[in-house]
Amino acid sequence: MSAEVALLGIRHHGPGSARAVAAALARWRPDAVLIEGPPEADGIVRLAAEKDLVPPVALLAHAVDDPARAAFWPYAEFSPEWVAIRHAVEHDLPVRFIDLPAGYGFAPAPEDAAAEGAGEDGAGPVADPLALLADAAGHDDAERWWEDVVEHRAPGGDALAPFAAVAEAMAALRAEGLGESRRDQLREAYMRQQIRAARRAGHQRIAVVCGAFHVPALETMPTVAHDRALLAGLPKKVRTDITWVPWTHRRLSQTTGYGAGVQSPGWYHHLFTTDGDPVPRWLTRAAELLRAEDHPVSSAHVIEAVRLAESLAVLRGRPLAGLTETLDAVRAVLCEGSDVALELVRDRLVVGDALGEVPDAAPAVPLQRDLTRLQRSLRLKPEAAPKDVDLDLRKDTDAARSRLLHRLRLLGVDWGVPARSSVNSTGTFRESWRLCWQPEFAVRIAEAAQWGTTVEEAAANKAVGTARAAEELAELTGLVETCLLAGLSGALPAVMRVLADCAALDTDVAHLAGALPALVRALRYGDVRGTDHGALAEAASGLAERICVGLPPACVGLDADSAAAMRGRLDEVHGAIGLLAAGPATETTTADPDPGTAPDPDGLAGLADRWAAALGSLARREPAGGPATGAPGLLRGRAVRLLLDDGRLDSEEAGRRLRLVLSVASAPADAAGWVEGFLTGGGALLLHDPRLLALLDEWLTGVSGEVFTDVLPLLRRTFAGLEAGVRTTIGGRVAAGPLGEPPAARSEAGELDRARADAAVPVVALLLGIRPRIPRQAAGRDT
């Protein structure tokens, strides 16, 4: 190792490497520190001196012209690079990043990029150096081997000795040509150039912190011409912006996307920050966590778990109990064999939800700064752990929070996603969200900065741009709903103009039916938020009128899949027209809308009648000349059920139609579909009207064996959708006897136990709130 340059080969995010780097820098006392990382960050590395820059954090670099091309360099408190940065800024030493600039990585790939990630001959993927060393040492687990030889060992008297040993091992691998790639050669050539530049700057003791794999290539310096020739083939560097962003331990643990592949960041953080034996303290934390979740864990459990972990380490020949032994002890002692409780420990302690912080002085796009301001003013702190929030839209702060979350979703930042409320409420004044901040949101915010400098401006411009690019009517009506939820009144007129043009040209009833529900929901939300809904009501009424006219013929000749899709749209349109005909919501807390823009009540009532007429026409479109000449039984039966539920059809007429469709003149498959549509949404009507159940039972028992096999899947699907109590009661009534007889006639088969019946009278009367009548016989017995 050169007397002027100390090459500190490390494993990224290794706590043992971090401790060794701290000891080496403290004892060797360099006058300059060079770190593997993007040189674009040299201008912001001094922000590490700020107390508000709290790891885990990451350097985010992205192309100025295309923010989607981005890369992260994450650092935790136990990352050796972070330790080196902190040492340099605390001792006021020059610190530079010396890896290949990120701008080259964002440039279009050269022709030989196909060999990227492969060996020098492009024959296969680059091997893991640690796995090769572990295999040479006779270990099948590279992680466990590295923990034993590096992570669990404290620095000795010679602070540079561990780095010399690791460098020797890596040199042996590099001598065999194992693990090298073309990109590694380019990176190492650039690093050597930066080391030469540091020497030319007059630094006498240069500490270089880099991945251990690169150390052999930096120890032996080739000629300057050699490195220049290697770097001559680099593409043109792309203009790049870089900043610090918060990171999370959970993201560090992921191996895909922007993850670092650290399997146990919470455990590594504990190893790095704990002096002495880390196992007892970690098991104590595990006990506290389990007790907080109502698991019976005592101090005796902790003592026995420590003994078990240490014993397992001895039996397995390890110098110290590692994570494997500690988790085995947690499962056996603290969790009493429960894998569910163990997963809680893995999630909260082995991985963890630590979220870093970044100071205001860090570079940021104006959109990010506006979002940070809104988060503070609305008291919505980003957190890595999922958090459920209920918002009452009648309160100004909660309404502003709702608008912010909807605007961010429109920009592709799903910080909050709608969730099921813990409070049962059918009103439109309440929203429930699940909040969870992800580090990659920083990239999406940078991408969204092209739409505006504030969240409101960017969301409004994005909504208009999305509307102009939309191809489906349902996409536009959903966008209208989102604009109302997000309070984007400035974007709504432009979106409505596009919607009106698209609706006028679209003649597909399925598209119209898919678009109407979102538009009606937008009307309801607009009422709560005090939005002028005149244009929305006009558009919704126009769509509804066209659906009423076009629905019956659009349902003719549909196959099974298309009929099932249309049934879902039928239910949604039925609910939407019901809301539309009901008029404005009554939960509004704002002033009434302008009477000149309010919908006409008489026209809305007429719309309900026209919808009922459309359903009646659909119910009568029977396939007289074959399936292609009529509507499927699934839709006809559903139309009858909707008319029955709305009181537009009485039970006598519904029974007559059921009797007709279950006659021998109807195809069994069509009849089964009709029954499915009729019973979807609840089968209690079969209990209230025994005649319907009798008709169904008579038809089912008369179906031949071959036909029964064909219709059985439809029947099973139909009855599986009924409530469990309804299914049980139907089964009991079928088993009790003839269904054609009225209940009173069936009850005569057995004697009525009047004494038992009289005993229930007071309880029933109390439930109904009436005064019980005591039968004369019972009164005589009491006296």
Side-chain angles (χ1 to χ4, degrees):
M1 184 172 292
S2 171
E4 294 181 337
V5 178
L7 298 176
L8 309 181
I10 52 95
R11 186 189 187 190
H12 303 295
H13 311 297
S17 293
R19 285 194 301 269
V21 166
L25 293 177
R27 296 179 187 178
W28 200 65
R29 296 182 181 178
D31 58 4
V33 178
L34 307 182
I35 301 172
E36 178 184 335
E40 291 93 339
D42 286 347
I44 61 173
V45 68
R46 289 287 169 183
L47 289 175
E50 299 279 345
K51 64 179 181 179
D52 293 334
L53 187 62
V54 181
V57 291
L59 289 169
L60 163 62
H62 64 83
V64 173
D65 297 332
D66 185 7
R69 287 185 288 169
F72 289 97
W73 287 262
Y75 303 112
E77 188 172 355
F78 52 82
S79 299
E81 299 94 332
W82 179 257
V83 170
I85 291 172
R86 290 290 301 172
H87 178 90
V89 297
E90 288 174 0
H91 292 81
D92 198 23
L93 300 177
V95 56
R96 299 285 184 271
F97 289 102
I98 62 171
D99 205 348
L100 199 64
Y104 289 123
F106 300 145
E111 295 180 358
D112 60 347
E116 185 65 34
E120 192 170 4
D121 57 356
V126 177
D128 179 10
L130 294 185
L132 295 173
L133 291 175
D135 183 66
H139 291 259
D140 57 358
D141 190 330
E143 291 290 332
R144 182 179 298 183
W145 173 80
W146 182 261
E147 282 189 355
D148 288 347
V149 300
V150 176
E151 305 299 349
H152 291 166
R153 297 187 181 276
D158 185 355
L160 299 180
F163 299 105
V166 172
E168 183 180 357
M170 292 299 171
L173 289 179
R174 299 291 293 260
E176 298 294 329
L178 300 176
E180 294 186 10
S181 69
R182 171 67 176 172
R183 179 166 178 80
D184 283 331
Q185 294 173 359
L186 292 174
R187 294 172 61 198
E188 290 159 357
Y190 193 87
M191 292 181 195
R192 290 192 292 264
Q193 295 279 52
Q194 299 309 303
I195 294 174
R196 295 186 184 104
R199 284 176 171 170
R200 289 195 301 270
H203 297 298
Q204 300 300 314
R205 299 174 68 83
I206 304 170
V208 179
V209 180
C210 63
F213 183 75
H214 303 300
V215 170
L218 303 183
E219 278 185 325
T220 305
M221 286 278 190
T223 63
V224 175
H226 174 272
D227 288 341
R228 286 178 178 174
L230 273 177
L231 298 174
L234 287 172
K236 182 179 179 181
K237 186 165 63 172
V238 174
R239 193 160 60 95
T240 304
D241 279 344
I242 195 165
T243 186
W244 290 102
V245 295
W247 207 250
T248 66
H249 277 176
R250 194 168 301 280
R251 182 60 64 186
L252 279 172
S253 68
Q254 296 183 3
T255 57
T256 58
Y258 297 116
V262 181
Q263 298 177 1
S264 50
W267 168 255
Y268 276 5
H269 181 270
H270 179 78
L271 289 180
F272 181 71
T273 58
T274 302
D275 296 328
D277 190 351
V279 174
R281 296 186 183 182
W282 196 84
L283 288 172
T284 301
R285 291 177 57 200
E288 291 176 355
L289 171 63
L290 292 171
R291 279 198 296 267
E293 298 294 332
D294 295 329
H295 291 274
V297 180
S298 66
S299 56
H301 285 85
V302 177
I303 295 172
E304 290 303 319
V306 172
R307 291 174 177 171
L308 178 57
E310 292 174 347
S311 299
L312 289 173
V314 173
L315 290 174
R316 295 169 181 174
R318 306 193 65 182
L320 183 70
L323 181 59
T324 302
E325 290 72 29
T326 306
L327 288 180
D328 286 345
V330 169
R331 177 194 281 111
V333 181
L334 302 187
C335 300
E336 297 180 344
S338 171
D339 287 333
V340 175
L342 180 64
E343 282 304 312
L344 177 66
V345 175
R346 287 184 185 274
D347 183 71
R348 301 280 185 84
L349 296 183
V350 177
V351 177
D353 289 312
L355 175 65
E357 298 178 9
V358 173
D360 294 336
V365 294
L367 180 62
Q368 176 64 66
R369 295 195 182 280
D370 184 60
L371 174 58
T372 302
R373 178 187 61 81
L374 291 172
Q375 289 170 335
R376 290 174 178 171
S377 63
L378 297 176
R379 298 186 296 279
L380 276 178
K381 183 179 179 181
E383 296 179 358
K387 177 183 179 182
D388 292 329
V389 176
D390 289 324
L391 302 180
D392 187 341
L393 302 182
R394 296 169 296 186
K395 299 178 180 179
D396 292 342
T397 300
D398 281 359
R401 290 171 175 172
S402 172
R403 290 192 294 269
L404 174 62
L405 294 174
H406 282 294
R407 289 170 181 175
L408 289 176
R409 281 176 61 82
L410 188 57
L411 294 173
V413 182
D414 293 330
W415 175 24
V417 294
R420 180 181 293 274
S421 174
S422 58
V423 180
N424 292 326
S425 173
T426 58
T428 55
F429 62 84
R430 183 178 297 277
E431 284 183 349
S432 296
W433 295 84
R434 169 156 290 189
L435 306 182
C436 183
W437 186 263
Q438 301 292 341
E440 60 265 28
F441 290 161
V443 176
R444 298 180 189 174
I445 293 171
E447 290 182 75
Q450 62 179 306
W451 298 106
T453 58
T454 66
V455 174
E456 181 178 2
E457 179 188 9
N461 292 335
K462 176 70 179 295
V464 175
T466 303
R468 291 170 177 169
E471 298 180 354
E472 297 289 340
L473 187 60
E475 184 180 355
L476 284 170
T477 55
L479 186 59
V480 169
E481 181 182 13
T482 302
C483 286
L484 282 175
L485 295 173
L488 301 176
S489 56
L492 194 57
V495 177
M496 287 299 300
R497 285 194 296 270
V498 178
L499 172 63
D501 295 341
C502 185
L505 297 175
D506 199 331
T507 58
D508 192 327
V509 173
H511 291 171
L512 300 177
L516 180 64
L519 207 54
V520 174
R521 286 196 303 270
L523 273 171
R524 303 290 286 181
Y525 284 118
D527 292 329
V528 175
R529 290 164 170 78
T531 304
D532 178 8
H533 51 55
L536 291 176
E538 183 180 352
S541 299
L543 286 180
E545 294 286 359
R546 295 174 60 188
I547 292 171
C548 291
V549 174
L551 176 68
C555 293
V556 173
L558 296 180
D559 58 19
D561 293 338
S562 300
M566 184 61 79
R567 186 197 67 181
R569 296 190 182 98
L570 195 66
D571 288 341
E572 292 179 353
V573 170
H574 184 75
I577 290 180
L579 288 175
L580 194 59
T586 59
E587 294 170 331
T588 177
T589 59
T590 60
D592 292 334
D594 182 2
T597 62
D600 178 16
D602 295 334
L604 293 179
L607 174 62
D609 293 336
R610 289 187 289 277
W611 173 245
L615 290 177
S617 175
L618 173 60
R620 292 189 297 270
R621 288 182 178 262
E622 299 179 359
T629 62
L634 177 69
L635 299 180
R636 302 196 325 272
R638 191 63 192 149
V640 171
R641 175 62 184 273
L642 294 177
L643 290 171
L644 178 64
D645 290 345
D646 276 359
R648 303 267 182 174
L649 207 67
D650 56 26
S651 58
E652 292 284 346
E653 178 63 16
R656 186 187 71 83
R657 297 195 181 199
L658 177 61
R659 186 180 301 107
L660 290 175
V661 80
L662 296 181
S663 65
V664 294
S666 299
D670 184 71
W674 197 100
V675 171
E676 180 183 359
F678 186 70
L679 295 182
T680 297
L685 58 89
L686 293 179
L687 304 180
H688 298 316
D689 194 340
R691 291 169 299 178
L692 298 180
L693 181 58
L695 287 173
L696 185 60
D697 180 63
E698 181 182 357
W699 170 76
L700 189 57
T701 55
V703 172
S704 65
E706 295 180 359
V707 175
F708 180 78
T709 303
D710 294 335
V711 301
L712 180 60
L714 290 175
L715 295 173
R716 292 189 64 179
R717 184 172 62 200
T718 300
F719 283 92
L722 302 182
E723 303 87 340
V726 172
R727 293 200 305 268
T728 302
T729 306
I730 289 176
R733 289 195 178 179
V734 171
L739 293 173
E741 301 177 2
R746 293 199 305 270
S747 65
E748 294 176 357
E751 288 292 332
L752 175 63
D753 190 339
R754 293 187 176 275
R756 295 179 64 188
D758 293 344
V761 170
V763 177
V764 175
L766 180 62
L767 293 175
L768 298 177
I770 62 177
R771 189 172 180 178
R773 284 186 177 181
I774 303 178
R776 184 173 301 174
Q777 297 89 336
R781 286 195 300 270
D782 291 340
T783 57

